[in-house]
Amino acid sequence: SMLQPIWIEDLVMALTLSLDESVVENRTVAIGGPEFLSFREISEQVAQAAGVKKPDISLLSEVLYPFTV
């Protein structure tokens, strides 16, 4: 399954702006970054940015599903 990472600053801004908008009241609004990445791609990017070797692990999509909804 693919994930849409989002910068925390963008998430906070979206949440802050939604507090003043009645159009989103009692509604679910999907937000996400512009890229669709696999969990593996995200973990590789995080490991590279942190300067560490990423452990080679595999997770079933069923395990990740709750985090994508």
Side-chain angles (χ1 to χ4, degrees):
S1 62
M2 302 302 279
L3 306 170
Q4 286 180 269
I6 186 170
W7 288 103
I8 187 66
E9 292 88 356
D10 294 341
L11 174 62
V12 170
M13 179 62 73
L15 293 173
T16 302
L17 291 173
S18 72
L19 293 174
D20 296 329
E21 294 295 325
S22 61
V23 71
V24 295
E25 190 173 321
N26 296 318
R27 300 190 67 187
T28 300
V29 179
I31 59 173
E35 296 179 285
F36 289 85
L37 302 171
S38 69
F39 183 79
R40 180 178 303 277
E41 290 171 313
I42 293 170
S43 63
E44 288 170 354
Q45 289 184 18
V46 169
Q48 182 180 13
V52 297
K53 182 181 182 311
K54 181 189 77 68
D56 191 20
I57 59 171
S58 295
L59 296 175
L60 298 173
S61 60
E62 293 82 13
V63 174
L64 294 175
Y65 180 76
F67 301 106
T68 64
V69 178

